[in-house]
């Protein structure tokens, strides 16, 4: 009963962590797709294609989930929405800093009449540098993440081994209140330690 209560307490923290992990992966994917889209836009603009036509090329070839956002942007403009409004809605839907930079760059360039291709190329290079930094951070923290998993699993592996080797010695840990309390304490301690390790090695590159 004590062990089940500890498991229930631990389970309360799992969904938020899973959700946060999924959101982080989605942001990284969106940033990667945006970088590729910017490169395609730059190529189209340099051969003389207009911005809207360049967006159409990107929307046609874009993969999910960002591809559908490009199509929604073009649909809004085709239905009569001003570019500033359509771009602002895009930034709100794709809530990552990189998309905000893209929207700001396009809006400023449209207002000032600058060279959009050069601005987008610079932004694409910036996103590429951020991706390189993100990959380096992931490589440097991979050992810490692996160590966290090993340290979390080691007590349970040891307990299982003792259960096989000296079953009589381990049995009271499952059949007595004191033993179950010890296991519950170990589980909670491991969870707390794993969370601290995760916070240490989870270095944010995205601002």
């Amino acid at each position: 009963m004590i062990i089940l209560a500890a498991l229930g307490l631990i389970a309360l923290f799992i969904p938020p962590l899973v959700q946060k992990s999924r959101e982080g992966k989605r942001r990284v994917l969106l940033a990667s797709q945006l970088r590729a889209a910017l490169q395609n836009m730059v190529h189209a603009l340099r051969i003389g294609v207009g911005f809207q036509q360049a967006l159409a090329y990107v929307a046609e070839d874009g993969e999910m989930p960002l591809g559908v956002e490009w199509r929604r942007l073009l649909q809004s403009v085709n239905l009569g929405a001003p570019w500033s409004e359509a771009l602002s809605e895009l930034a709100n839907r794709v809530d990552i800093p990189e998309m905000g930079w893209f929207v700001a760059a396009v809006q400023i360039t449209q207002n000032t009449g600058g060279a959009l291709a050069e601005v987008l190329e610079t932004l694409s290079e910036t996103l590429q540098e951020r991706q390189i930094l993100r990959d380096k951070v992931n490589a440097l923290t991979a050992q810490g993440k692996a160590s966290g998993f090993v340290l979390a699993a080691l007590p349970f592996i040891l307990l299982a081994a003792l259960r096989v080797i000296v079953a009589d010695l381990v049995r009271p840990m499952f059949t007595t209140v004191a033993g179950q309390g010890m296991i519950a304490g170990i589980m909670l301690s491991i969870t707390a330690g794993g969370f601290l390790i995760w916070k240490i090695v989870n270095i944010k590159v995205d601002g």
Side-chain angles (χ1 to χ4, degrees):
M1 195 67 176
I2 299 177
I3 297 176
L4 292 178
L7 288 173
L9 182 61
I10 294 172
L12 294 176
F13 296 94
I14 293 178
L17 292 177
V18 172
Q19 180 65 23
K20 190 172 184 179
S21 176
R22 288 179 178 176
E23 291 176 354
K25 291 179 180 179
R26 184 176 184 274
R27 287 194 296 269
V28 172
L29 176 60
L30 287 170
S32 176
Q33 292 180 348
L34 176 59
R35 185 181 70 253
L38 289 177
Q39 293 172 349
N40 293 334
M41 287 184 201
V42 170
H43 293 158
L45 292 171
R46 289 196 182 283
I47 63 175
V49 174
F51 177 60
Q52 185 168 350
Q53 189 61 41
L55 276 177
Y57 292 151
V58 171
E60 182 179 356
D61 299 333
E63 299 179 355
M64 293 290 290
L66 189 57
V68 67
E69 299 298 341
W70 295 127
R71 291 188 283 274
R72 290 181 64 181
L73 171 63
L74 289 173
Q75 185 179 18
S76 297
V77 173
N78 292 333
L79 291 176
W83 272 106
S84 58
E85 179 181 337
L87 287 169
S88 297
E89 292 177 353
L90 173 65
N92 291 331
R93 292 195 304 269
V94 185
D95 189 17
I96 58 174
E98 293 85 350
M99 183 57 75
W101 301 342
F102 165 75
V103 170
V106 173
Q107 291 177 337
I108 293 173
T109 305
Q110 288 179 339
N111 293 331
T112 60
L116 182 58
E118 295 181 3
V119 174
L120 295 184
E121 184 176 24
T122 301
L123 179 56
S124 175
E125 292 173 355
T126 300
L127 298 187
Q128 178 66 32
E129 293 174 358
R130 283 168 63 87
Q131 181 60 46
I132 293 175
L133 177 60
R134 187 182 294 113
D135 292 339
K136 289 182 178 179
V137 169
N138 290 335
L140 292 173
T141 58
Q143 183 176 358
K145 294 176 182 178
S147 299
F149 285 117
V150 172
L151 292 175
L154 188 59
F156 299 103
I157 295 175
L158 180 60
L159 182 61
L162 292 175
R163 181 69 176 85
V164 174
I165 299 173
V166 284
D168 294 337
L169 183 63
V170 177
R171 187 176 297 111
M173 296 187 67
F174 296 93
T175 58
T176 64
V177 174
Q180 292 182 7
M182 291 175 59
I183 295 178
I186 292 172
M187 293 169 60
L188 294 175
S189 298
I190 291 174
T191 302
F195 178 75
L196 290 176
I197 292 176
W198 179 79
K199 292 291 290 184
I200 292 172
V201 301
N202 188 36
I203 301 174
K204 292 185 177 181
V205 177
D206 305 321

